[in-house]
Each structure stands twice: as structure tokens, then as C-alpha cells.
Amino acid sequence: MRLPSALGSNESLARCLYQRNHFKVETHSVLPKAFEPPSSNLRLSVFRICGLHIRDVWTYLQTNAINKMPQPPTFYGIADITVSVVQATGLTVDPDDTPPRHASIVGWPEGDTNKSKRKLLSQELASKAKLVLRNRN
Amino acid sequence: MTKVYTPVGTTSSLAFPSNSGVSDDASAVEREYQEMLGSLFQGQTVAKIYRQTVRIFNQAIEESSFDNWDGQGAKALDTLAWEKALWFSQLLPTDVPVPDIYVDSDGEATFEWYIAPLQVFSVTVRGNGGLVYAGIFGENKTHGTEHLDDEMPAVILDNIYRVLAGGAYLAVA
């Protein structure tokens, strides 16, 4: 299914969790590190998952995100966050669609002096995200 | 209201000022201090955070010493930042619980006290001695930068105790 290029505000975005310190099982929550943007380009990779059954989410992300990494890590689950939550922080979502369904959270304050602002934004996003672990579905 | 966490001091009793002396006596004092510190760190209860920092640092040397170690464009481990992080960990009072410690996407050392989604405080130690911090305490938020010196900046300690107190409050609620 080809998605419309315009994002819906209630649309779900999935951030892949592939490090053990991306989430906390005890509190069933997503940790800020999961939403830390790469310093090289400040584009945080997410996938648009609307219209997909959760089973297909795992298959799609395993193929198009995890297996594309140089050394494919363990795929623990996703942080599920809506477009409106991202936009409420002042960040925006760029639906670049490369690969299909891919998008990037952009608009992070740039530069060394703004690192504390980026940390706070990562904490805010994590606090609003829903943890969905792979082995529980 | 009962205060659950009360800071025991502005910094750890294990902290020692940077030794700028060059005489034989100054060197001897520093050597003795390092030996004393070494024996203290063998203990079970003292400097848990320091020991955990050393453990994560050693692990990171093996796993994160090259660019893109996370497959998402992270920078290689910043050894200088982690050396500063060892000092940072020594300055923390011994009643502070061990935080999550990890390498961030800049290769720097992050210490994070995570209680709940809206009760979190983290500090990243940089190679230049900068302490970049951010935190959420319920409806309140903070962020900023301090400089690591011979003593732990008060704002860092205040925020650590603030997040811990909030956590204890959540636990009894």
C-alpha cells in the first residue's frame, strides 16, 4: 500500500529499538536514548506503520531497517509515537519515503551549544512513546 | 512532608582537588591519595558508580571505538570524555544510586537516572569538561551546561536528588 505523501496528525510512527538501553522492561517504557538523533545529520529515522498489522510491522522493519544495518542487531521492538506528539515538541516529520514508509524526525536544534536542548527533546519524545516489544505479540 | 533524599554534601568525600603542584612532596601526596583511593575502591559499598563507569568504559572500548558503531552514524568513543566521566563518577556522593551509563551518539558518556517517563535526569560528560544536562520532573523541565571542576556543580547534584525524590514519591503514591 502506497501511503499519501501528506502525514496525518494521528498517524503512528515506529522507531526501531535495537539496543538493550533503548527501553526498560520493569517500567514498560521507552528510554530517551531511543530518540537520540545521530549527530552526523540530526535526522532520526522512523517508519510510518499505518495500515500494517503488527505482524507485518515486524517483518517490514526487520527487512527494511534492521537488516540494512552493517551488522544487523537484535530487533527488540518499537517505540510507537504519533505525528502530533512529535509536532507538539516543535520538531517535524519529513516523509522522505526512502525506503518506502521511511520518514525522519527533523528540526533538532543544531550545534554543540544546543546539545542540552536535544537531550530534553529526546526525553520528551520517549516520555510520550508507547513501548511495543516484539516477543509479546 | 518528609524529605526522602537529603544530600549528604556538595560532593563525594572521595574527591580530591586537581593537583597542580610540581614538587616531590606534591607528587608524593598525590601518589598516596591514588593508593588510598585504589584500596577504597576494592570495597563493596564504596564507589559503585565509579566501578560501573570503568566497566562500561572498558566494554565501550571494545564495541564503540569506531565511527558508526551503532549503524546509525554515531561517532567513535571519545576517550577524553570517558576519562572525565571517571572523575565525574568519583565526585558523586556515595548515597546516589547507580545510574544507567552509556555511550551517546557523540561517543560521550551519559549518566541517566530514570525513574519513570516523566521523572528522568541525565548528564553527558564531554571531553572539554562540559556537563550537558536535561531533565523532566513531572510538569517541570530543565536543561543546560555546567563545567566539571574539582567539585560537582551544585545544579547537577540538586537535579539528581530532585529526580530521586520524585521517584520515591511515586513509589509511595
Side-chain angles (χ1 to χ4, degrees), chain B residues 67-166:
Chain B
D67 284 338
N68 198 28
W69 53 268
D70 66 346
Q72 297 275 296
K75 290 182 186 168
L77 187 77
D78 183 338
T79 309
L80 191 55
W82 278 83
E83 285 168 359
K84 297 274 185 192
L86 293 174
W87 173 238
F88 174 85
S89 70
Q90 290 176 39
L91 291 177
L92 288 166
T94 51
D95 66 333
V96 169
V98 180
D100 293 325
I101 304 169
Y102 61 81
V103 188
D104 77 0
S105 62
D106 288 318
E108 297 170 332
T110 294
F111 295 73
E112 187 165 270
W113 288 268
Y114 183 94
I115 309 295
L118 294 175
Q119 206 65 37
V120 56
F121 180 68
S122 86
V123 183
T124 296
V125 185
R126 318 200 76 171
N128 63 4
L131 299 175
V132 181
Y133 66 90
I136 299 179
F137 316 94
E139 293 296 311
N140 299 304
K141 297 167 189 170
T142 188
H143 71 89
T145 304
E146 289 286 321
H147 190 79
L148 183 61
D149 214 332
D150 287 342
E151 287 197 352
M152 181 67 76
V155 67
I156 300 291
L157 275 185
D158 288 349
N159 282 314
I160 291 171
Y161 286 115
R162 188 179 182 191
V163 80
L164 295 175

Side-chain angles (χ1 to χ4, degrees), chain A residues 15 18-19 21 24 27 29-33 36-41 43-45 65 69-71 73 111-121 123-128, chain B residues 66 68-75 100-106 108 110-112 114-118 120-124 126 128 132-136 141-145:
Chain A
R15 169 78 181 147
Y18 54 90
Q19 287 179 28
N21 56 13
K24 200 164 197 125
T27 52
S29 49
V30 179
L31 295 178
K33 179 156 176 58
E36 194 182 88
S39 51
S40 52
N41 61 6
R43 294 178 69 88
L44 187 76
S45 176
M69 292 186 182
Q71 288 180 316
D112 259 11
T113 54
N114 280 321
K115 183 160 177 161
S116 68
K117 287 184 187 166
R118 292 197 295 274
K119 280 174 81 70
L120 184 58
L121 285 166
Q123 291 173 349
E124 289 180 317
L125 292 177
S127 75
K128 301 278 169 48
Chain B
F66 50 94
N68 198 28
W69 53 268
D70 66 346
Q72 297 275 296
K75 290 182 186 168
D100 293 325
I101 304 169
Y102 61 81
V103 188
D104 77 0
S105 62
D106 288 318
E108 297 170 332
T110 294
F111 295 73
E112 187 165 270
Y114 183 94
I115 309 295
L118 294 175
V120 56
F121 180 68
S122 86
V123 183
T124 296
R126 318 200 76 171
N128 63 4
V132 181
Y133 66 90
I136 299 179
K141 297 167 189 170
T142 188
H143 71 89
T145 304

